[in-house]
Amino acid sequence: MNLQSKFGPNYAATQQIDVYTDTRDVLAHAKRNARQRGLQDWFVVDIDAHHVETVSWKEVVQYIEDPVIRDNAMRYQAERIGGPPYGLNGDLGLRYQSVGGRIPHQDDQREKVTETDVHRDVVLTRRAMDSIGVDNMVVFPTPMLFLGMHPQPDMEVWLGRAYNRWTADKLLDGDDRIKTLIYLPFNTPKEAERAVEEFGDHKGVIGFCVTSTRTKPVHHNDYMRLYRMIEERGKPLAFHAGYHWQDPSLATVNRFLGMHALGFVWCNMIHMTNWILNGLPERFPKLNTLWVESGLAWVPFLMQRLDDQYLMRQSEAPQLKRMPSEYMRDTCYYTTQPMEITHPKALETTFDMINAKTNLLFASDWPHFDFDLPQMICDLPFLDEQAKKNILGLNAARIFNLDPTPRKNLYT
């Protein structure tokens, strides 16, 4: 049926978006908005974007080092009908991110790719960069963010290492605008050290990542050599948040809305508390930490809470020479997404408390349902132009040693 003949000549059909929709179509408005705000001449870095690595899982498992595990994985991937990809511990809550099926584009990325000179994920990342208006994009995995809770610690080692090798070969070597923070199998400290040694100097590797959904304490002595190795390389350590519905306390939450609000914050709050109170900023003063995909609203709360308690029990944190909030403000960096904008005065106070002009970095979290665009920073009335430029890209250029020359083209 011709819908215009039924509803009149002014009827505009609703755009249907699914996992096959071209990224450039999904982000058409984003590109227009970036042009309108003059971002062509600004250096913009997206610190947190994602790809669906399981689309390429048959390729990834070929990089598994152990020959027996590699053979099992390849046979499983070749023969499986349904079921999760080999080795991944899925979380039943993940399916709810599509908001009841109304925002399905981020459930998978199956759009048509005709280019054959580079990997399909390079093509998809380029489409996102050129639509959002960024010059560099840091790409993270998606289902692998749950690997830290895998009941088999060796699986995190096998799959994390395979993923790093695949990423280096297929993505980083395909386009130097794509960057990554190497996955560290944090449950096995020696293997995390090995990852730093092997991939730390590879092209496109600008730092290292701990997936925060895990219960290993960041202050354990087993990690001290790892932190020193990272500090000596002059690259930051990122804690990328997630959630875990089987956490005993979070298991009481019966809505994904609640899980999304709490889970992505809870894990990084725990790690941050242990990081600060155990004096790690004093022990590793040149090691920058980056706290990813937790939003910002939790930071002022934790600053106030830790300061309050520290003043009453300083003997329990003898390594500290300053207030906990000062370490959180001066030695830690944060990413914007998801930036809580519903209370503007609180947001402005948060920016002031974290020293956002120098310590905040833009992140989109594309292609997840709650992704943000650079315009969110551009449109904040309490920021001057220099602060906006810093947050959108210049802070990242300084922290990650990136060339701040804009390379995007918003007019093609």
Side-chain angles (χ1 to χ4, degrees):
M1 175 185 294
N2 186 327
L3 295 178
Q4 288 185 329
S5 65
K6 180 177 181 179
F7 297 107
N10 294 324
Y11 174 81
T14 301
Q15 182 184 12
Q16 299 295 316
I17 293 177
D18 57 26
V19 298
Y20 299 99
T21 305
D22 193 296
T23 294
R24 293 164 293 190
D25 292 334
V26 178
L27 294 173
H29 293 302
K31 191 170 189 176
R32 179 199 64 195
N33 291 335
R35 288 198 297 260
Q36 290 175 345
R37 287 161 177 80
L39 294 185
Q40 174 62 43
D41 299 323
W42 289 22
F43 180 66
V44 182
V45 179
D46 185 354
I47 293 299
D48 179 24
H50 293 266
H51 64 146
V52 183
E53 72 277 15
T54 49
V55 175
S56 304
W57 206 241
K58 288 183 179 180
E59 301 174 13
V60 174
V61 297
Q62 294 179 34
Y63 286 86
I64 294 176
E65 192 171 39
D66 187 287
V68 175
I69 302 301
R70 181 175 63 247
D71 184 69
N72 287 342
M74 293 174 64
R75 290 176 182 274
Y76 178 88
Q77 288 300 126
E79 299 172 2
R80 77 182 184 97
I81 300 176
Y86 179 86
L88 292 182
N89 53 321
D91 189 295
L92 296 177
L94 190 61
R95 67 182 65 179
Y96 295 111
Q97 292 204 38
S98 64
V99 190
R102 296 192 297 276
I103 310 178
H105 74 269
Q106 64 105 68
D107 290 344
D108 208 340
Q109 288 183 292
R110 299 281 184 173
E111 62 192 85
K112 185 177 181 180
V113 172
T114 58
E115 295 90 335
T116 58
D117 59 321
V118 292
H119 193 274
R120 69 182 303 277
D121 278 13
V122 173
V123 177
L124 298 184
T125 305
R126 285 173 176 170
R127 291 177 181 178
M129 287 191 291
D130 293 335
S131 296
I132 294 175
V134 303
D135 299 284
N136 293 125
M137 180 172 276
V138 180
V139 178
F140 287 91
T142 302
M144 284 182 60
L145 294 177
F146 299 104
L147 262 184
M149 299 300 293
H150 202 290
Q152 298 173 283
D154 284 347
M155 193 62 73
E156 184 186 30
V157 173
W158 292 324
L159 296 183
R161 179 174 168 75
Y163 173 78
N164 286 338
R165 293 176 62 194
W166 174 85
T167 300
D169 286 353
K170 301 297 184 180
L171 272 62
L172 302 183
D173 288 347
D175 192 320
D176 62 3
R177 291 175 62 194
I178 300 174
K179 310 296 181 182
T180 197
L181 299 165
I182 282 296
Y183 185 103
L184 296 180
F186 200 64
N187 284 329
T188 311
K190 290 298 182 183
E191 288 294 333
E193 294 171 12
R194 183 185 178 198
V196 171
E197 291 176 341
E198 181 169 355
F199 299 102
D201 297 322
H202 194 282
K203 183 186 84 170
V205 174
I206 59 174
F208 307 91
C209 175
V210 174
T211 54
S212 301
T213 309
R214 62 181 68 243
T215 55
K216 294 282 283 190
V218 298
H219 55 280
H220 196 284
N221 283 338
D222 286 350
Y223 293 119
M224 297 305 110
R225 185 172 185 272
L226 173 67
Y227 297 149
R228 182 67 70 200
M229 291 172 62
I230 297 175
E231 182 184 46
E232 290 174 349
R233 280 167 170 75
K235 296 180 179 181
L237 175 64
F239 290 89
H240 191 297
Y243 65 93
H244 189 61
W245 219 310
Q246 283 71 53
D247 181 290
S249 58
L250 293 176
T252 65
V253 178
N254 69 336
R255 296 287 188 272
F256 183 74
L257 186 159
M259 177 59 62
H260 198 259
L262 296 179
F264 280 84
V265 175
W266 181 242
C267 56
N268 268 352
M269 285 181 64
I270 295 293
H271 297 324
M272 173 71 85
T273 297
N274 285 331
W275 186 268
I276 299 296
L277 295 186
N278 287 279
L280 293 177
E282 286 292 342
R283 187 164 182 176
F284 304 100
K286 296 181 181 180
L287 174 56
N288 293 323
T289 58
L290 181 65
W291 304 84
V292 183
E293 203 173 328
S294 304
L296 299 174
W298 63 280
V299 184
F301 159 77
L302 193 61
M303 283 180 165
Q304 296 174 79
R305 189 67 178 168
L306 292 184
D307 280 358
D308 178 77
Q309 297 297 299
Y310 173 70
L311 289 175
M312 292 185 285
R313 306 178 70 89
Q314 296 178 41
S315 61
E316 292 190 19
Q319 300 94 337
L320 302 192
K321 299 178 181 179
R322 295 186 284 167
M323 297 284 280
S325 64
E326 295 182 58
Y327 292 105
M328 292 178 66
R329 182 194 65 214
D330 298 335
T331 71
C332 299
Y333 295 86
Y334 305 90
T335 60
T336 58
Q337 209 283 330
M339 195 168 66
E340 301 91 349
I341 61 174
T342 50
H343 299 280
K345 289 184 178 180
L347 182 63
E348 183 175 1
T349 298
T350 299
F351 271 52
D352 180 62
M353 292 180 71
I354 67 174
N355 200 9
K357 187 172 183 178
T358 59
N359 286 45
L360 183 61
L361 290 73
F362 169 72
S364 72
D365 198 33
W366 168 261
H368 295 164
F369 76 97
D370 58 337
F371 73 92
D372 293 333
L373 298 172
Q375 68 193 58
M376 295 191 70
I377 297 299
C378 293
D379 296 347
L380 290 177
F382 54 81
L383 293 179
D384 60 33
E385 183 174 288
Q386 187 59 55
K388 294 175 182 179
K389 289 182 176 180
N390 288 353
I391 293 168
L392 286 175
L394 296 183
N395 289 342
R398 170 172 50 87
I399 296 165
F400 295 111
N401 194 29
L402 300 174
D403 178 1
T405 304
R407 297 178 57 190
K408 58 185 171 291
N409 191 342
L410 293 171
Y411 296 93
T412 56

